[in-house]
């Protein structure tokens, strides 16, 4: 009895490169989903945040990782806010106390009435961390989907 086995040598030679491609593509897909979910979390019915201008949602960015050398794993960060345009992103995510600095009192409107306070405690209304947690939980499934997709093409 003779057994013949046929296989694609090129496919075997590219397994390592394809594995890294799978991991990096899964990271990209996961990061995009995290950003999408974080933007969806800026919804008063979910977080208590009032989306007046859309600046907070618009500040959520995915920083793409460019592979520096073949075989390296990628890193992708998802960020929200910047100090000049959306300095309040962190206080909404983590909560904290805002104190008057340049004037004796903070002045703002609540239900159409002007209020003056020395300080205001802002409760945490996280929008990014819940999206990150869900993304981390789903990364394995995304990785397996991409693994199956890429290796079905080889």
């Amino acid at each position: 009895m003779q057994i013949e086995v046929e296989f694609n040598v090129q496919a075997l030679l590219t397994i390592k490169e394809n594995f890294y491609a799978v991991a990096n593509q899964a990271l990209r897909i996961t990061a995009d989903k995290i950003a999408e979910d974080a933007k969806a979390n800026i919804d008063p019915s979910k977080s208590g945040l009032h989306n007046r201008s859309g600046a907070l949602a618009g500040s959520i960015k995915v920083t793409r990782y460019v592979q520096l050398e073949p075989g390296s794993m990628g890193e992708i960060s998802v960020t929200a806010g910047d100090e000049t345009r959306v300095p309040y992103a962190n206080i909404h995510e983590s909560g904290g106390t805002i104190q008057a600095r340049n004037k004796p009192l903070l002045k703002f409107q609540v239900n159409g009435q002007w209020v003056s306070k020395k300080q205001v405690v802002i409760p945490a209304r996280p929008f990014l961390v819940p999206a990150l947690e869900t993304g981390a939980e789903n990364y394995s499934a995304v990785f397996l989907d991409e693994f199956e997709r890429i290796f079905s093409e080889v």
Side-chain angles (χ1 to χ4, degrees):
M1 172 190 267
Q2 184 176 356
I3 299 174
E4 283 188 40
V5 178
E6 290 184 35
F7 59 92
N8 182 337
V9 174
Q10 188 60 35
L12 289 176
L13 294 174
T14 61
I15 285 176
K16 182 177 178 184
E17 290 80 12
N18 283 330
F19 182 80
Y20 286 109
V22 166
N24 283 308
Q25 182 62 13
L27 277 172
R28 287 184 199 99
I29 290 169
T30 300
D32 287 340
K33 181 70 171 130
I34 289 168
E36 179 185 316
D37 289 351
K39 288 175 185 179
N41 288 343
I42 301 173
D43 176 340
S45 66
K46 292 182 180 179
S47 63
L49 290 170
H50 298 288
N51 191 8
R52 292 183 193 138
S53 68
L56 181 57
S59 76
I60 296 171
K61 303 285 183 231
V62 177
T63 305
R64 299 265 181 228
Y65 170 80
V66 178
Q67 205 169 313
L68 298 177
E69 57 187 58
S72 67
M73 293 294 283
E75 288 181 14
I76 295 179
S77 66
V78 180
T79 60
D82 62 60
E83 288 302 312
T84 56
R85 223 172 57 82
V86 190
Y88 49 86
N90 189 46
I91 197 87
H92 283 306
E93 182 71 31
S94 306
T97 301
I98 299 175
Q99 297 180 333
R101 286 192 276 176
N102 300 327
K103 306 247 177 173
L105 299 171
L106 298 167
K107 293 184 181 188
F108 51 94
Q109 281 189 321
V110 177
N111 298 325
Q113 298 290 320
W114 283 99
V115 178
S116 298
K117 300 276 183 180
K118 287 185 180 183
Q119 67 180 24
V120 177
V121 176
I122 305 291
R125 288 172 270 199
F127 56 94
L128 188 56
V129 169
L132 290 168
E133 289 170 348
T134 302
E137 290 170 9
N138 295 334
Y139 177 76
S140 296
V142 172
F143 178 87
L144 291 175
D145 287 347
E146 282 304 299
F147 185 86
E148 193 173 290
R149 184 186 67 76
I150 288 178
F151 279 97
S152 69
E153 296 171 2
V154 175

